Amino acid sequence: MPELPEVETVRLGLDQWVTGRTIDTVEVAHPRAVRRHEPGAAHFVAALAGRTVTGARRRGKYLWLPLDGGDAVIGHLGMSGQFLLRPADTPDEIHLRIRFAFDDDGPQLRFVDQRTFGGLSISAGGAELPAEIAHIARDPVDLAFDDAAFVAAVRRRHTGIKRALLDQTLVSGIGNIYADEALWRARLHWARPTDTMTRPAVTGLLGHVRDVLGEALKAGGTSFDALYVNVNGESGYFDRSLHVYGREGEPCTRCGAPIRRDPFMNRSAYTCPRCQPRPRNGRW
DNA sequence: CCTCATTCCTGCGGGC
DNA sequence: TGCCCGCAGGAATGAG
């Protein structure tokens, strides 16, 4: 579930509570959580002792903590990852994967992840932008995002518009929830071929993507259960503002037609069949 | 350079 | 009551 608004909410918390602190010890409770760290868990632990965190940054759905000396800890929440700040005497979470203890009296930083799709690794010299995630595009909230280049790139692609929105090398930060919500706002069907879209249509969609991401960030993100929480364990409330995602059979808030769920890329696509029609003759 | 299917993982809820 | 299965899905990977 964590998409840009949720990851950014976590980043803000990390920046507030971890920046400037020096790591004392690290414990890897589950090796799978560091599987992307090629040198292995023991190296991960040894390399971080004594290092000071100098910030908290984000690229799309990836986070990284720059360290003194120029390296960085890269993190991805996957489906169910959480960064939690917890006093040392707090009982371990069932799905605790990695623990960071600092050389001060402050709380531990714990990486908790039920489904273990997420994980952490160290990027050598990656403080500015880790090479491991340099292929991830900027997100639409990034001031340096190039709107014209994005519009042109989308129109050059030969695929469906939702696939394009989910392609993190084209635009980052968007996942299944916000893709569906932006497409509903733009009245576009998920299968609309990108090469049939006009420049204004893509530009308009980009505007809706920005709007929905911004609104969700203000709400502290979307959560349906306790899986997505900020560093203090609190849930966002944007799920109350969703128009199509997860609403199969419920009336469209705009026209009343029942929301439809289609199988899509081994997951789901939610649309309003009236607001986002798919042409009968196959011509868009 | 594309495009796209497959794979990883755990817990929950529906059906029988 | 309990078992099985589908579903949730980000992104790396490799096939074509």
Side-chain angles (χ1 to χ4, degrees):
Chain A
M1 313 282 191
E3 304 180 30
L4 187 151
E6 293 77 30
V7 178
E8 177 63 10
T9 299
V10 170
R11 188 198 68 77
L12 287 165
L14 291 173
D15 198 25
Q16 179 176 356
W17 298 104
V18 180
T19 296
R21 301 176 68 192
T22 299
I23 297 167
D24 183 22
T25 56
V26 176
E27 176 194 343
V28 175
H30 197 307
R32 201 176 148 70
V34 292
R35 67 191 180 285
R36 302 255 174 237
H37 186 66
E38 291 294 340
H43 178 272
F44 183 88
V45 167
L48 293 178
R51 307 295 293 275
T52 300
V53 177
T54 61
R57 302 187 61 182
R58 183 183 59 77
R59 181 84 159 204
K61 302 169 197 171
Y62 277 96
L63 292 162
W64 75 96
L65 301 174
L67 304 171
D68 63 323
D71 300 333
V73 178
I74 305 175
H76 197 291
L77 303 178
M79 281 291 295
S80 55
Q82 305 173 334
F83 275 113
L84 299 172
L85 280 146
R86 291 284 183 258
D89 58 4
T90 305
D92 288 357
E93 292 75 7
I94 295 172
H95 302 295
L96 173 69
R97 307 305 187 197
I98 299 170
R99 182 203 323 272
F100 296 85
F102 298 87
D103 71 353
D104 51 36
D105 294 329
Q108 298 180 345
L109 175 65
R110 299 181 181 179
F111 183 71
V112 177
D113 189 6
Q114 177 194 98
R115 296 178 204 171
T116 66
F117 272 33
L120 308 186
S121 62
I122 301 174
S123 174
E128 198 52 39
L129 175 65
E132 293 86 344
I133 58 175
H135 63 289
I136 303 292
R138 292 182 184 276
D139 66 62
V141 182
D142 189 327
L143 293 174
F145 186 83
D146 188 336
D147 287 23
F150 170 74
V151 171
V154 167
R155 298 179 71 230
R156 271 200 305 270
R157 293 288 261 259
H158 301 282
T159 188
I161 185 59
K162 183 169 174 179
R163 289 190 111 98
L165 287 181
L166 296 177
D167 184 342
Q168 305 297 303
T169 66
L170 204 51
V171 54
S172 70
I174 306 168
N176 213 31
I177 298 174
Y178 299 112
D180 279 358
E181 293 298 312
L183 289 168
W184 178 83
R185 291 178 182 219
R187 298 176 186 257
L188 287 168
H189 190 275
W190 55 265
R192 175 66 182 266
T194 49
D195 49 9
T196 68
M197 292 180 69
T198 63
R199 227 181 310 269
V202 181
T203 303
L205 174 60
L206 177 58
H208 287 297
V209 168
R210 281 212 173 90
D211 289 347
V212 73
L213 292 177
E215 291 168 30
L217 180 55
K218 269 194 205 166
T222 298
S223 59
F224 305 96
D225 49 37
L227 272 190
Y228 164 67
V229 292
N230 68 15
V231 296
N232 298 310
E234 301 155 346
S235 296
Y237 55 87
F238 192 73
D239 53 307
R240 294 170 214 166
S241 305
L242 298 177
H243 291 278
V244 283
Y245 184 84
R247 297 191 63 239
E248 181 180 14
E250 295 176 41
C252 172
T253 55
R254 197 161 47 200
C255 78
I259 299 302
R260 170 190 167 97
R261 174 187 169 277
D262 292 314
F264 169 80
M265 289 173 77
N266 285 334
R267 40 185 68 81
S268 300
Y270 294 93
T271 50
C272 169
R274 194 178 297 164
C275 296
Q276 303 161 267
R278 176 176 204 151
R280 284 172 177 275
N281 61 11
R283 289 169 50 192
W284 300 81

